[in-house]
Amino acid sequence: MFLASGFNIQAYFKQKEISGRGKEGLPWRRAASLNDNLVPPDGKWHKVSIPLKTFNDAGACSDIEKKWHDSEGLFSWKKVNCLVFDFGEKGLQKDLSIRNVSLR
């Protein structure tokens, strides 16, 4: 991972939202933060390993309901639909390169 200074990225696994399934159908997340404390912004490539067990329940944002739901422990690894890199409200402000993402 190659990053410029001042970055703060949230990486999260997200479940697919399924209408009519109540709380079980919400797009629950498990997230981890990437920032200057984890990866030095020194213009060099760094291998970053984030153990899956360190990802925390992070709630769900329903596009259907237009509502945020706090975590209720309903996330399931079996229902993961995507991995998201979220750069926050301001978006990506500087250079970022991510290569060779692998899940083990």
Side-chain angles (χ1 to χ4, degrees):
M1 182 174 280
F2 174 81
L3 297 156
S5 64
F7 70 94
N8 189 3
I9 302 166
Q10 187 178 64
Y12 60 88
F13 292 93
K14 180 176 150 186
Q15 296 176 192
K16 184 175 181 177
E17 186 165 14
I18 303 170
S19 181
R21 300 281 312 269
K23 290 183 179 183
E24 291 292 326
L26 290 173
W28 296 106
R29 304 175 182 186
R30 283 191 71 86
S33 292
L34 303 163
N35 55 41
D36 291 9
N37 295 327
L38 182 63
V39 183
D42 57 7
K44 298 178 183 177
W45 281 97
H46 295 277
K47 181 178 181 178
V48 177
S49 296
I50 306 170
L52 294 178
K53 67 183 179 182
T54 64
F55 280 73
N56 298 307
D57 276 336
C61 185
S62 171
D63 289 332
I64 295 170
E65 299 174 350
K66 306 290 186 228
K67 180 179 175 184
W68 175 260
H69 295 267
D70 290 333
S71 176
E72 295 186 24
L74 296 173
F75 178 88
S76 171
W77 287 105
K78 294 178 182 179
K79 297 179 183 179
V80 169
N81 184 54
C82 61
L83 171 60
V84 176
F85 293 94
D86 184 346
F87 303 100
E89 291 182 15
K90 293 182 180 179
L92 183 60
Q93 300 295 308
K94 302 199 178 189
D95 292 341
L96 166 71
S97 294
I98 300 173
R99 294 187 183 161
N100 302 324
V101 174
S102 64
L103 303 175
R104 300 176 192 190

